[in-house]
Amino acid sequence: MTKRQRIVVVGHGMVGHRFAQAAVERGLTETHDVVVFGEEPRAAYDRVGLTSWFGHPDGAEGLSLLPGGVYDDPRVRLVLDSVVTEIDRAARTVTVVSPPSAGSRDGRQGALLDQRGEPGAVTVHDYDVLVLATGAAPFVPPVEGRGKDGCFVYRTIEDLEAIKAASETATSGVVIGGGLLGLEAANALVQLGLDTHVVEMAPRLMPVQLDDAAGVTLVRHVEKLGVKVHTAVLTEEIEGDSSVTGLRMRQAGTEEGAPTEVVEAQVVVFSAGIRPRDALARECDLETAARGGVLVDEQCRTADPHVFAIGECAAPGGTMYGLVAPGYAMAEVVVDALLDGPGTFTGADMSTKLKLLGVDVASFGDAFATTDGALELTYADAVSGVYKKLVVAESEAGDGSFRLLGGILVGDASAYGTLRPMVSSGLALPDNPEQLILPASSGVQLGMPDEAQVCSCNDVTKADILHAVAEQGCESVADVKQCTRAGTTCGSCVPTVKNLVEEHFASVGKVVDKGLCEHFRLTRQELFDVVAVHGYRRFDDIVEAHGTGRGCDVCKPAIASILASQTSTHILEPVTAELQDTNDKYLGNIQRNGTYSVVPRIPGGEITPEKLIVIGEVARDYGLYTKITGGQRIDLFGARMEQLPAIWKRLVDAGFESGHAYGKSLRTVKSCVGSTWCRFGVQDSVGLAIALELRYRGLRSPHKLKGGVSGCARECAEARGKDFGVIATEKGWNLYVGGNGGATPAHARLLAGDLDTETLVSYLDRFLMYYVRTADRLQRTSTWIEQLEGGLERVREVVVDDSLGLGAELEAEMARHVGGYADEWAATLADPAKLERFVSFVNAPDTPDPTIAFTTERDQIQPIAPALIPVGAPA
């Protein structure tokens, strides 16, 4: 019998875990036992998504890559909280210290010490194969004061726990480093409620991934979120006695003694890069690269044939890769090598796509056009904060076509899933490649070759995905993710995976499951028709006749919205009240400290002084934070639940009604002053905006709706950034549709021009009702138009040309909505049963929530110790 071999893996981060997974899945454990020593007290977790720990309901367990901490295969043993301190290559042994009964780490790679400074239990383990997966450590620059209390790095869950604890008594924080991790750390400080600064030595944020123009665009986005960005500055000193009080800095390129600036801060987070953890290798005389990292060959093998290195501690060809995807590839290569396979690691795709502080950012391929003959195509929309660049070169085929080398996307990275695979495929670009980055009007479609890499994190190609659905029985994105791992790391490729799955089944004539959720196989559009045809008024009737189970947080609000669209009944009627999400249940937008905002409707932004005084009096009497929004309204923050009815009554008595700031419904119709006051105006934009806002108020829809009316082509109302935008002409009105702001902004496009007011309103009635009828759940008008077969031209056929003969029917539906509208605040005040829900405690209705507290800043209230919200969740 052949003796079983023993593999010792040093490190249980994401890459060490991937190695163990691959060893099980590819049969290596049939001949080898695997022992993994992890230094941290918990099994590997998603370090890429570390910031989501701040709001994850399951805490660290929610990020775990190995819930329970045990592999299904007993031939893989995981030993946590243990540190490998020495490698004896001659004896093929490792020395492990684990764990002291009560100790602390000594701050360097190595020993654990107990309270007397002595190490914990020491054991020696032999190996036949040693795999180093020790990762990297944060780089802390030699700044004076870097050891003071309040200084942190951003690498582990323990780091985040310490930052969170320190932030409870802090008001301001600084992140040193404006790269990927630095902006993630800034995101965390913002979530913790700190006044946040980012300090970057380079002249722009993310200098490795973005060019100057992209960096400027990103700064504008970041600063809108309240983060102060300081680029081209050097940190001179962390100020304070034993604890941090501030950070002193000066302009980069100046000499010591030059003028400095001090930023007040009680928390400083170093995020200035990482360094390979290669000390173990150095101490056992393994060769390392000039800039750190264990030198390995294309099979990730060191000069010692029994020792491999993978991930951030390795330097294949002298290069250290700081992303998880190359580490995963190295783990697979080593397993392959141990199985006598041909796999090699010859480099990695360093493409990046992230949502940083809510801003989409992507960089891929030769983003800086370093290839000979490279040309740059750029699109920039400073108003919307979108910057896109493609780097192309003439094809080697000599047919005059161009191929894609790389690109940068800021503010709108929706094209990343299509563009990045194009780099590796070498596919010829269309004749007008600039169409690929222009707004969605182009409609350019590109085929993707089978060898195109769809998921760079897990090296999954289009062919792998098609094989999974065609040969391995996968019928959904979830199946494909489980089968291929595509989309399971950063998730940026999931939309592309979804499209490939749907396109495949459509090509073979199989009906693709586009059901609303597990309880309904019908789409939202089909459910809309079902409710209309059968006249349902209760969720229970709908799920009994057309679904299964008891419903969920996806289908219940969607059906509540459909019922509201078709019946115009109050959303808190007993049959629908419990279907609503939290904001709709309380007719207000819940804020991070558990209070609510109150937003009275101000159609078209026009308001009398008397009404302004009432709003001011209400804000003063209830101590509400007051802010003018970008949509010509006044937001009142900090209202406790039991205060809402009294506040509404004051406002309703003064002639206000709900501004529907909480629902998927019409929010505002913004206007400029138009021809009444403006010397350039050619039409009454205020009058039309008021009429449209009053007409469509309360209209429930798949996503929130906004409109705008500009009195001339100068477009001061920014109408083309709205779902419907109207711009005055000398002959009437131009109607634009499909615009929106938010994370993926879109410019509205012209649907019809030079309309009289009556025709304009009829087209808008048809457009909005067509959208309400047929769009998917949470689908904005821009996406709906883009995904309609025929796109905007199809919308024009239905709305303007009435090709389906639905015009009168759609207008009648809108007329029914307009006739059935009633203010939800006033209706709630008139119904004692509905008012019963507005108490903080059912058994003590007069008792306010004692956990809600405020401080004062700039003469207004601010919430204290805000509850954290998940990163990326709607605020």
Side-chain angles (χ1 to χ4, degrees):
M1 174 181 292
T2 304
K3 178 180 177 295
R4 290 181 62 80
Q5 301 284 293
R6 167 178 279 202
I7 302 171
V8 167
V9 181
V10 184
H12 195 244
M14 297 178 75
V15 173
H17 171 65
R18 169 54 69 90
F19 176 86
Q21 271 188 319
V24 174
E25 293 169 0
R26 299 177 63 180
L28 186 61
T29 53
E30 296 299 319
T31 54
H32 292 69
D33 294 320
V34 180
V35 180
V36 186
F37 292 103
E39 183 177 310
E40 293 188 47
R42 55 179 59 85
Y45 50 87
D46 181 7
R47 211 182 297 274
V48 176
L50 193 60
T51 305
S52 63
W53 171 84
F54 283 104
H56 206 295
D58 298 324
E61 191 67 13
L63 296 180
S64 179
L65 300 178
L66 187 65
V70 179
Y71 287 95
D72 291 338
D73 189 333
R75 294 166 294 192
V76 180
R77 185 163 65 94
L78 174 61
V79 184
L80 295 173
D81 211 3
S82 300
V83 179
V84 175
T85 59
E86 183 180 355
I87 299 170
D88 186 336
R89 290 201 286 129
R92 293 188 202 165
T93 62
V94 294
T95 300
V96 180
V97 179
S98 64
S101 56
S104 60
R105 300 174 193 279
D106 71 347
R108 70 174 180 84
Q109 175 177 309
L112 290 168
L113 306 176
D114 67 14
Q115 292 174 325
R116 296 168 300 177
E118 297 297 327
V122 179
T123 54
V124 177
H125 304 260
D126 60 345
Y127 65 79
D128 297 294
V129 175
L130 181 65
V131 179
L132 299 176
T134 49
F139 170 64
V140 177
V143 178
E144 185 177 348
R146 63 188 182 280
K148 290 185 169 71
D149 290 343
C151 289
F152 305 94
V153 295
Y154 197 83
R155 183 68 177 173
T156 68
I157 288 176
E158 283 70 27
D159 294 333
L160 270 57
E161 290 174 339
I163 293 171
K164 181 181 178 183
S167 298
E168 290 178 354
T169 56
T171 59
S172 182
V174 176
V175 177
I176 299 177
L180 289 171
L181 288 175
L183 294 179
E184 280 289 330
N187 192 4
L189 297 190
V190 170
Q191 298 294 314
L192 288 165
L194 300 189
D195 184 22
T196 302
H197 298 256
V198 172
V199 174
E200 168 58 48
M201 185 171 62
R204 61 181 182 272
L205 295 177
M206 294 181 65
V208 177
Q209 292 85 13
L210 303 185
D211 60 18
D212 288 341
V216 169
T217 305
L218 180 59
V219 166
R220 279 203 294 268
H221 279 291
V222 170
E223 289 186 335
K224 283 181 181 177
L225 301 171
V227 176
K228 286 85 171 175
V229 178
H230 311 265
T231 55
V233 294
L234 298 172
T235 301
E236 280 213 333
E237 181 184 2
I238 309 298
E239 295 195 327
D241 294 330
S242 59
S243 300
V244 174
T245 60
L247 179 143
R248 184 155 52 86
M249 57 191 181
R250 62 179 165 86
Q251 284 295 309
T254 60
E255 301 293 334
E256 285 191 39
T260 60
E261 179 185 356
V262 176
V263 174
E264 179 188 342
Q266 298 79 44
V267 171
V268 172
V269 179
F270 288 97
S271 185
I274 56 175
R275 296 291 184 270
R277 295 187 64 186
D278 55 12
L280 274 176
R282 293 175 186 271
E283 289 168 2
C284 67
D285 296 326
L286 286 172
E287 190 177 3
T288 57
R291 297 176 64 87
V294 186
L295 278 174
V296 294
D297 62 15
E298 291 187 350
Q299 287 193 311
C300 297
R301 194 188 307 262
T302 68
D304 183 334
H306 298 282
V307 182
F308 296 79
I310 57 177
E312 291 169 336
C313 71
T319 301
M320 177 263 197
Y321 296 86
L323 298 175
V324 70
Y328 280 0
M330 292 183 219
E332 298 281 354
V333 163
V334 172
V335 171
D336 199 59
L338 296 174
L339 290 169
D340 296 326
T344 57
F345 181 88
T346 56
D349 179 4
M350 299 298 285
S351 301
T352 303
K353 177 179 180 292
L354 293 171
K355 186 179 283 293
L356 296 166
L357 290 155
V359 184
D360 281 328
V361 180
S363 174
F364 57 98
D366 183 8
F368 291 90
T370 59
T371 304
D372 288 342
L375 302 173
E376 297 184 10
L377 304 173
T378 61
Y379 166 80
D381 181 345
V383 175
S384 300
V386 174
Y387 174 82
K388 301 179 182 180
K389 181 175 86 172
L390 294 184
V391 179
V392 303
E394 196 165 347
S395 174
E396 296 173 355
D399 56 2
S401 63
F402 284 84
R403 61 190 175 92
L404 184 62
L405 299 178
I408 295 172
L409 306 168
V410 176
D412 175 11
S414 57
Y416 175 80
T418 301
L419 294 175
R420 191 195 53 74
M422 295 290 299
V423 175
S424 58
S425 71
L427 192 69
L429 296 173
D431 291 340
N432 300 308
E434 70 277 6
Q435 294 292 317
L436 294 168
I437 52 174
L438 292 177
S441 57
S442 67
V444 171
Q445 299 292 326
L446 286 171
M448 186 187 297
D450 286 352
E451 62 272 22
Q453 188 186 51
V454 175
C455 175
S456 58
C457 294
N458 296 284
D459 190 21
V460 183
T461 64
K462 174 186 175 183
D464 295 330
I465 294 169
L466 295 182
H467 180 74
V469 295
E471 307 294 336
Q472 296 178 280
C474 294
E475 295 189 347
S476 66
V477 173
D479 291 344
V480 172
K481 290 170 72 173
Q482 185 173 13
C483 185
T484 67
R485 291 202 188 101
T488 59
T489 302
C490 77
S492 64
C493 64
V494 170
T496 306
V497 174
K498 182 174 185 292
N499 287 338
L500 288 174
V501 172
E502 292 180 355
E503 286 176 6
H504 168 78
F505 285 126
S507 70
V508 298
K510 184 174 181 177
V511 177
V512 179
D513 180 10
K514 295 184 178 180
L516 189 64
C517 67
E518 62 183 292
H519 302 104
F520 288 97
R521 303 301 295 269
L522 303 178
T523 64
R524 182 191 175 277
Q525 180 182 356
E526 290 167 338
L527 278 168
F528 191 98
D529 293 339
V530 161
V531 172
V533 170
H534 294 278
Y536 293 120
R537 295 294 179 265
R538 293 175 358 110
F539 176 85
D540 289 348
D541 295 336
I542 302 170
V543 75
E544 181 178 348
H546 304 281
T548 59
R550 304 173 66 179
C552 62
D553 291 341
V554 172
C555 59
K556 285 182 175 178
I559 288 179
S561 173
I562 291 172
L563 291 172
S565 299
Q566 297 190 17
T567 65
S568 297
T569 55
H570 197 286
I571 62 172
L572 297 185
E573 288 299 315
V575 294
T576 55
E578 298 309 316
L579 302 179
Q580 312 293 347
D581 61 25
T582 301
N583 287 344
D584 277 311
K585 279 181 182 176
Y586 297 101
L587 307 182
N589 202 339
I590 189 169
Q591 304 301 322
R592 57 172 52 197
N593 68 338
T595 59
Y596 292 80
S597 61
V598 177
V599 185
R601 184 174 299 286
I602 304 176
E606 185 179 81
I607 188 168
T608 64
E610 287 74 19
K611 284 189 170 180
L612 270 177
I613 290 170
V614 171
I615 291 177
E617 290 175 341
V618 168
R620 178 198 61 202
D621 294 349
Y622 288 91
L624 305 177
Y625 172 85
T626 308
K627 188 177 189 307
I628 296 175
T629 74
Q632 298 181 327
R633 301 196 291 193
I634 298 176
D635 233 338
L636 305 173
F637 288 86
R640 296 194 303 269
M641 187 186 299
E642 72 276 9
Q643 293 178 320
L644 290 174
I647 293 172
W648 295 340
K649 186 171 189 317
R650 292 272 296 272
L651 294 170
V652 169
D653 288 347
F656 289 105
E657 60 184 32
S658 167
H660 288 99
Y662 45 85
K664 297 294 181 284
S665 54
L666 180 81
R667 298 294 176 86
T668 64
V669 180
K670 186 177 179 181
S671 74
C672 62
V673 295
S675 58
T676 308
W677 293 91
C678 177
R679 57 197 171 97
F680 298 105
V682 295
Q683 302 285 353
D684 178 14
S685 58
V686 178
L688 181 62
I690 293 172
L692 295 179
E693 183 162 341
L694 294 178
R695 183 171 184 79
Y696 302 127
R697 60 186 166 176
L699 178 65
R700 300 283 161 168
S701 51
H703 207 292
K704 63 183 176 185
L705 288 168
K706 293 183 179 179
V709 182
S710 283
C712 72
R714 297 168 71 89
E715 243 288 67
C716 293
E718 300 169 328
R720 291 192 64 194
K722 313 299 184 190
D723 297 277
F724 61 89
V726 181
I727 300 177
T729 72
E730 296 287 350
K731 300 177 182 177
W733 306 100
N734 282 351
L735 173 59
Y736 297 81
V737 295
N740 60 254
T744 308
H747 254 166
R749 291 177 283 160
L750 183 66
L751 184 70
D754 295 331
L755 305 173
D756 59 66
T757 304
E758 182 180 359
T759 304
L760 171 83
V761 172
S762 69
Y763 284 177
L764 260 178
D765 284 358
R766 296 178 186 183
F767 170 76
L768 291 173
M769 270 303 170
Y770 185 37
Y771 165 66
V772 169
R773 269 191 179 190
T774 61
D776 202 354
R777 171 182 170 270
L778 300 182
Q779 192 173 39
R780 304 197 79 140
T781 54
S782 57
T783 310
W784 169 66
I785 293 171
E786 185 180 336
Q787 295 188 359
L788 268 181
E789 187 173 353
L792 180 65
E793 186 54 38
R794 180 58 175 167
V795 176
R796 187 176 291 114
E797 289 172 0
V798 174
V799 171
V800 178
D801 303 334
D802 198 13
S803 62
L804 298 180
L806 286 174
E809 184 178 327
L810 295 172
E811 290 177 33
E813 286 186 7
M814 186 60 78
R816 179 194 49 71
H817 161 74
V818 173
Y821 173 77
D823 173 39
E824 289 168 356
W825 285 353
T828 303
L829 293 171
D831 188 337
K834 291 187 177 67
L835 285 173
E836 288 179 356
R837 66 173 56 243
F838 294 93
V839 292
S840 294
F841 301 97
V842 174
N843 57 352
D846 297 327
T847 304
D849 186 344
T851 66
I852 295 174
F854 300 96
T855 184
T856 301
E857 187 173 329
R858 298 184 296 277
D859 299 325
Q860 294 210 73
I861 62 167
Q862 299 284 343
I864 291 178
L868 294 171
I869 57 175
V871 174

